[in-house]
Amino acid sequence: MIEQYVLDLQEIDETQVAVVGGKGAHLGGLSRIEGIRVPAGFCVTTDAFRRIMAEAPSIDDRLDQLSRVDPDDREAIRTLSAQIRRTIEEIALPGEVAAAITRALARLGEQVAYAVRSSATAEDLPTASFAGQQDTYLNIVGPTAILQHVSRCWASLFTERAVTYRQRNGIDHRTVHMAVVVQQMVFPHAAGILFTADPVTGNRKVATVDAGFGLGEALVSGLVNPDVFKVRHGEVVARTIAAKQRAIHALPAGGTQEVAIDAQRQEQPALTDAQAVQLVQLGRRIEAHFGRPQDIEWCLVDEGFQIVQSRPITTLFPIPESGDQENHVYVSVGHQQMMTDPMKPLGLSMWRLTAMVPMHEAGGRLFVDVTRRLASPASRAALLDLVGRGDPLVRDALETVLDHDDVVPSLPDATPGGPPAGGASAPIETDPALVTELIERSQASIAALERDIRTKTGPALFDFLLEAFEEHKRVLSDPLSIRAIMAGMEATWWLNDKLLEWLGEKNAADTLTLSAPDNVTSEMGLALLDVADVIRPHAEVVEFLQGVEYAEDAAFLDELAKLAGGTEARDAIETYLDRYGMRCVGEIDITRPRWGERPTTLVPVILDNVRNFEPGAAERRFEQGRLKAQQKEQDVLSRLRALPDGDRKADETKRMIDRVRTFIGYREYPKYGIVSRYFVYKQALMEEAERLVQAGVLPDKEDIFYLTFQELHEVVRSNQVDGRIVQQRKDAFRSYQALTPPRVLTSDGEAVTGAYRRDDVPAGALVGLAVSAGTIEGRARVILDMADADLEAGDILVTTFTDPSWSPLFVGIAGLVTEVGGLMTHGAVIAREYGLPAVVGVEQATRLIRDGQRIRVHGTGGYIEILP
């Protein structure tokens, strides 16, 4: 292959990232768009970089060392990266490389000033911008200086920040190469950045222009605050004009300098409104060419705008595909299901196939389109009331969207004067036998699934599963089951509303529901205390478990049997897994490893229970809760009887207490049934994956996680797979992990989080939703992975979200704080079951609260104080 060391920008397009890097490829693409002016220049290709790297074999050794360094070991990264940079800068440019560059300069003008700009092969990508990771040099004059700065750009691939960024993003240093863009300098009146979508709200119809005087470096470096113009539908809808005291200008002999701006010019706009609108029109043309919103660097010179860079905006949350041009409003499923992490394609498609309502995918998350329900007054009121009871932030976010006049269409009520959407719940008797019947029905359906799936393989398995999904939905939509769930929730709401009105007591139902029967999730936490009781007397078993690594598989259970007391310990853990092994964190994603597949996940929690509890804790804990609820009931009823019309109020309240204790535990059962079925589906699919690996169709059985159910069906039928799709999906999934999903998302791309809008909390407190009454002080333990649990009695768990799989930790903590949650989500229900003060829906709690800080959780008031 003939090495090509220099390419003119006109010869390049965006498909050539491997040759000219991300910046070079984008500039080549820009130079081909009609009406877009790009300063003339050329690119020193990655062939030249590889040639230079081959001149210094010592770099290989240092790259080996770097690959083994922890991303947090800043000193080691600083030392190694400095050595690599120094080595690269000291290498003399091979004659052919230097000649190719000087020839290109001669064509453009040797004594013209140039910008010399790094262009790595892993930058300005759709999934990672790498902005600011490598170096740019402005106003460089003369071939000697330009050759020197080309070397500096190559070396900047190994700045400390660039190396750390790659380490943290799992990018191999050897796979990234550096090209260098050399472009004629532009000396602008004004310069800045254009975002073709609002980078704060995500709205794709609002463009944001940042502008300042002189070179754009003044804005990029943070030297000055920019003027900001917001442009929508061809007009400026908002502007902020900053006092621009400084600017960066080019020096005649090369280089740049900071200069003061005359006082009378400082508050003059850097652009007119007409210029801002014209610039956005150019930006829309660029956006259309690249097919996604862009972050564009621009310069204003005498004859108009010149574009010096365009890269994708990587921080925007994607928009679900609707297939039409209508406005849509979407509500996050993950915030309801306590799983805001991205899901892999198989997980997404399986949840959609088994869900009761249509769902839309974006950014690895699922959303429900609520536009129609928001469009008519009655269904809108019912929806806002329902979501508001669960998560006030979702309600506020929806109300924020409704305030935008042009987002939601207005439709008349379908049935004027009729019941709200979904209709009123049909009456149901307060009879514990109904719950027993529902649980037996679910167990029978799962047993039939386990029996019938055993003989199914190949395409026949997928036909069977499609039928099983219909049974899955039939069980979920069982009218009796829905009425039982609603009966428990409505009784909770009634008790809280009436006892606040009659007795002035907030969240009284929290105590009245302690140790409610038939709660499979709270039983799961208590059952792990019983496992700890079996293990605690055997010191050798405890010591062995302390040495078990999280990533190990179930083999450690076989090792246990060789120790004194180990057989009993293994039997206790396996019995627990037989009942609860289908659970895991993020369990709505079928691709997540279940406890039955990775039982080591439970070991830290078991050890915490061994250390922090006495024998018989589970039974004592349940009984204490039951007695506390009983005492609360007697107290409430006696206080009510002392009121006017007290006997009626007490009788109604007694009926509701009986009702809530009968049905509230069942609230957790349908999810347990879903996840039980998921484990059966998964085991069958993993056997198919194993067959595909044996047949050489797939290299790894977990590759099936990156295919949809329908695609996997086709792979099993044809015994063929497109490996590129699997790799693309893996890359996309990794990029989705960096995104935070909004509670509400519009088809314009506006991401709305919602706010509490409260003024009844102390200054500096973190505001959330009160879901379990009481106040507790303690040490905050910020835990993002159950496997990192290391809890002491009295600790307060702070985490992103808690689905049912977290409940084994709840028995050992004193309080709970989460970033996501609502009044009836699983974490809230179990916190009330165990009597833990809890506040959920606290934005950025895991960032604002540091691990080990002392905090006070106001579970009745719905806020957290960070203590000195």
Side-chain angles (χ1 to χ4, degrees):
M1 188 181 83
I2 298 172
E3 292 181 325
Q4 198 164 12
Y5 297 129
V6 168
L7 287 173
D8 190 87
L9 286 182
Q10 300 291 334
E11 302 176 77
I12 297 166
D13 64 27
E14 53 268 37
T15 65
Q16 293 168 273
V17 171
V19 180
V20 296
K23 188 178 288 128
H26 274 80
L27 283 167
L30 282 166
S31 67
R32 292 162 177 258
I33 305 172
E34 189 178 344
I36 301 300
R37 297 176 60 237
V38 176
F42 59 88
C43 198
V44 183
T45 68
T46 53
D47 282 348
F49 175 76
R50 277 190 286 269
R51 176 75 187 273
I52 287 296
M53 293 292 278
E55 299 279 323
S58 64
I59 291 176
D60 267 351
D61 296 336
R62 295 202 175 106
L63 288 177
D64 285 339
Q65 289 175 264
L66 259 187
S67 67
R68 295 191 292 270
V69 169
D70 187 299
D72 294 322
D73 188 347
R74 296 184 61 178
E75 191 55 45
I77 289 173
R78 185 178 299 124
T79 302
L80 284 165
S81 58
Q83 290 170 353
I84 294 170
R85 286 198 307 279
R86 195 160 50 247
T87 302
I88 293 171
E89 287 186 33
E90 289 170 356
I91 296 170
L93 265 66
E96 314 93 286
V97 175
I101 296 171
T102 52
R103 278 196 302 273
L105 287 170
R107 286 197 302 274
L108 291 173
E110 286 189 354
Q111 293 310 307
V112 174
Y114 290 89
V116 183
R117 314 170 71 194
S118 303
S119 180
T121 54
E123 73 173 9
D124 295 353
L125 304 178
T127 56
S129 76
F130 287 74
Q133 299 305 314
Q134 283 90 39
D135 291 344
T136 285
Y137 301 96
L138 298 178
N139 202 29
I140 309 302
V141 179
T144 303
I146 286 168
L147 291 172
Q148 181 186 27
H149 284 85
V150 168
S151 287
R152 288 184 180 175
C153 283
W154 285 330
S156 76
L157 188 62
F158 298 98
T159 60
E160 183 185 342
R161 63 184 181 273
V163 167
T164 303
Y165 189 95
R166 290 195 295 271
Q167 301 265 91
R168 292 191 188 285
N169 285 276
I171 296 168
D172 183 348
H173 301 297
R174 294 173 193 280
T175 63
V176 185
H177 300 112
M178 181 68 86
V180 181
V181 174
V182 180
Q183 264 181 301
Q184 288 184 352
M185 272 294 291
V186 174
F187 301 104
H189 307 306
I193 301 163
L194 160 64
F195 297 97
T196 63
D198 190 314
V200 177
T201 67
N203 194 319
R204 306 314 198 258
K205 290 184 178 173
V206 175
T208 300
V209 178
D210 289 1
F213 294 124
L215 293 168
E217 290 301 295
L219 304 188
V220 174
S221 64
L223 179 65
V224 296
N225 290 325
D227 295 341
V228 180
F229 300 82
K230 302 267 186 191
V231 178
R232 181 185 175 99
H233 298 321
E235 65 174 315
V236 174
V237 293
R239 79 178 63 71
T240 305
I241 306 304
K244 300 169 287 297
Q245 297 174 343
R246 317 288 293 170
I248 292 178
H249 285 178
L251 293 169
T256 61
Q257 83 174 103
E258 195 181 302
V259 297
I261 295 174
D262 293 342
Q264 64 269 29
R265 281 191 69 216
Q266 288 179 6
E267 297 197 23
Q268 286 180 8
L271 292 179
T272 65
D273 282 8
Q275 286 171 328
V277 169
Q278 180 195 353
L279 178 59
V280 169
Q281 288 169 345
L282 296 175
R284 292 289 177 222
R285 200 175 293 177
I286 294 168
E287 179 182 67
H289 175 83
F290 289 118
R292 56 187 300 145
Q294 297 288 301
D295 163 355
I296 298 165
E297 292 182 24
W298 56 269
C299 295
L300 177 63
V301 289
D302 294 334
E303 62 272 33
F305 288 103
Q306 296 207 30
I307 305 301
V308 295
Q309 187 166 341
S310 184
R311 62 167 73 93
I313 306 175
T314 59
T315 54
L316 297 175
F317 200 87
I319 305 171
E321 290 184 13
S322 63
D324 60 37
Q325 297 301 308
E326 303 296 316
N327 287 339
H328 295 270
V329 180
Y330 303 97
V331 171
S332 163
V333 173
H335 285 80
Q336 176 197 346
Q337 290 294 337
M338 297 299 92
M339 164 55 178
T340 54
D341 290 347
M343 296 168 69
K344 297 188 178 84
L346 184 63
L348 289 165
S349 63
M350 295 279 281
W351 190 260
R352 291 173 80 173
L353 285 166
T354 53
M356 302 307 300
V357 295
M359 292 183 179
H360 306 264
E361 184 270 329
R365 279 78 168 189
L366 291 170
F367 295 85
V368 172
D369 187 341
V370 295
T371 317
R372 300 289 298 178
R373 292 187 66 182
L374 288 174
S376 64
S379 61
R380 179 190 312 144
L383 176 65
L384 291 174
D385 182 57
L386 184 65
V387 299
R389 283 186 178 276
D391 184 345
L393 290 178
V394 175
R395 176 176 184 137
D396 185 80
L398 287 173
E399 287 175 336
T400 300
V401 171
L402 287 166
D403 285 343
H404 303 339
D405 295 336
D406 58 345
V407 175
V408 179
S410 186
L411 299 175
D413 290 334
T415 52
S425 298
I428 182 173
E429 291 296 314
T430 304
D431 181 0
L434 292 174
V435 173
T436 305
E437 179 191 340
L438 285 166
I439 291 172
E440 286 173 353
R441 277 191 210 175
S442 176
Q443 289 172 337
S445 175
I446 293 165
L449 172 66
E450 290 174 330
R451 181 188 67 239
D452 296 343
I453 205 170
R454 286 187 193 125
T455 57
K456 306 296 188 293
T457 61
L461 169 67
F462 289 81
D463 296 336
F464 171 82
L465 282 172
L466 289 171
E467 292 176 18
F469 296 163
E470 294 309 306
E471 167 67 3
H472 181 124
K473 290 194 276 192
R474 189 197 64 74
V475 171
L476 272 185
S477 60
D478 181 339
L480 182 62
S481 176
I482 292 168
R483 277 154 48 203
I485 293 167
M486 290 308 299
M489 290 168 64
E490 287 164 355
T492 301
W493 297 335
W494 189 96
L495 286 167
N496 280 336
D497 291 347
K498 291 298 184 183
L499 295 181
L500 179 61
E501 178 189 338
W502 292 338
L503 300 176
E505 189 161 334
K506 289 174 77 173
N507 302 333
D510 293 359
T511 308
L512 293 167
T513 54
L514 288 171
S515 298
D518 299 313
N519 188 319
V520 70
T521 308
S522 64
E523 289 166 4
M524 178 171 70
L526 296 174
L528 207 58
L529 288 174
D530 291 335
V531 172
D533 285 353
V534 174
I535 289 168
R536 191 178 292 106
H538 305 294
E540 202 176 338
V541 171
V542 173
E543 185 180 356
F544 171 78
L545 291 176
Q546 286 168 340
V548 167
E549 293 292 329
Y550 168 59
E552 290 178 19
D553 60 19
F556 86 94
L557 291 171
D558 297 330
E559 294 296 313
L560 268 180
K562 300 172 185 176
L563 307 173
T567 302
E568 297 97 303
R570 184 191 64 188
D571 291 350
I573 293 171
E574 286 182 340
T575 299
Y576 185 87
L577 292 173
D578 286 344
R579 177 127 166 85
Y580 303 112
M582 76 294 290
R583 309 221 83 146
C584 68
V585 174
E587 60 194 8
I588 70 168
D589 182 353
I590 198 170
T591 72
R592 291 285 192 109
R594 312 281 136 177
W595 292 344
E597 297 168 314
R598 192 178 289 168
T600 49
T601 308
L602 294 172
V603 169
V605 192
I606 293 170
L607 290 171
D608 283 348
N609 289 348
V610 167
R611 186 174 68 249
N612 295 333
F613 291 92
E614 297 294 322
E619 190 176 343
R620 277 196 309 279
R621 188 80 178 255
F622 187 82
E623 186 58 19
Q624 285 164 358
R626 194 186 64 78
L627 288 173
K628 202 170 176 183
Q630 196 175 67
Q631 289 161 3
K632 183 69 174 179
E633 177 181 329
Q634 291 167 355
D635 171 60
V636 163
L637 295 179
S638 65
R639 286 161 63 197
L640 285 172
R641 288 195 179 95
L643 298 175
D645 198 18
D647 287 345
R648 179 189 63 78
K649 290 172 180 171
D651 289 347
E652 282 184 28
T653 301
K654 171 62 176 165
R655 279 197 299 276
M656 284 299 174
I657 291 171
D658 290 347
R659 198 164 177 79
V660 81
R661 291 194 67 79
T662 297
F663 292 116
I664 201 65
Y666 179 71
R667 160 76 179 79
E668 292 294 297
Y669 201 86
K671 183 77 170 278
Y672 175 78
I674 291 170
V675 177
S676 297
R677 300 178 78 89
Y678 263 34
F679 197 30
V680 179
Y681 304 154
K682 183 178 186 181
Q683 287 170 310
L685 291 173
M686 293 312 288
E687 287 176 15
E688 284 302 312
E690 188 60 52
R691 280 190 278 275
L692 291 170
V693 171
Q694 296 298 329
V697 177
L698 288 175
D700 185 329
K701 62 184 179 181
E702 291 195 357
D703 282 354
I704 69 166
F705 297 163
Y706 297 94
L707 301 169
T708 66
F709 179 83
Q710 297 87 341
E711 288 167 344
L712 180 55
H713 188 177
E714 179 58 26
V715 169
V716 168
R717 191 194 61 74
S718 67
N719 261 1
Q720 291 182 316
V721 68
D722 185 342
R724 290 171 304 177
I725 289 177
V726 172
Q727 189 56 51
Q728 286 166 6
R729 300 272 177 79
K730 287 180 179 179
D731 293 341
F733 178 75
R734 192 161 51 240
S735 75
Y736 296 154
Q737 289 176 305
L739 298 175
T740 300
R743 284 178 168 81
V744 171
L745 182 65
T746 73
S747 50
D748 287 348
E750 186 171 3
V752 192
T753 299
Y756 287 105
R757 308 186 194 284
R758 290 174 55 186
D759 54 12
D760 60 341
V761 298
L766 306 181
V767 183
L769 176 64
V771 296
S772 186
T775 302
I776 192 74
E777 285 185 20
R779 178 180 72 152
R781 292 291 285 116
V782 180
I783 297 174
L784 303 180
D785 186 331
M786 263 185 70
D788 298 330
D790 180 15
L791 296 164
E792 301 287 346
D795 282 350
I796 297 168
L797 173 63
V798 180
T799 191
T800 315
F801 57 80
T802 57
D803 58 13
S805 69
W806 286 78
S807 66
L809 290 186
F810 284 23
V811 298
I813 58 176
L816 173 69
V817 178
T818 67
E819 294 182 347
V820 176
L823 197 60
M824 296 309 295
T825 47
H826 302 276
V829 171
I830 305 307
R832 291 193 289 272
E833 277 280 314
Y834 288 164
L836 300 174
V839 180
V840 302
V842 182
E843 284 292 291
Q844 298 190 42
T846 59
R847 297 186 188 94
L848 297 173
I849 299 172
R850 291 197 312 275
D851 187 48
Q853 275 186 318
R854 287 195 65 76
I855 61 173
R856 183 183 296 128
V857 177
H858 294 264
T860 309
Y863 61 93
I864 296 101
E865 292 178 282
I866 298 175
L867 303 176

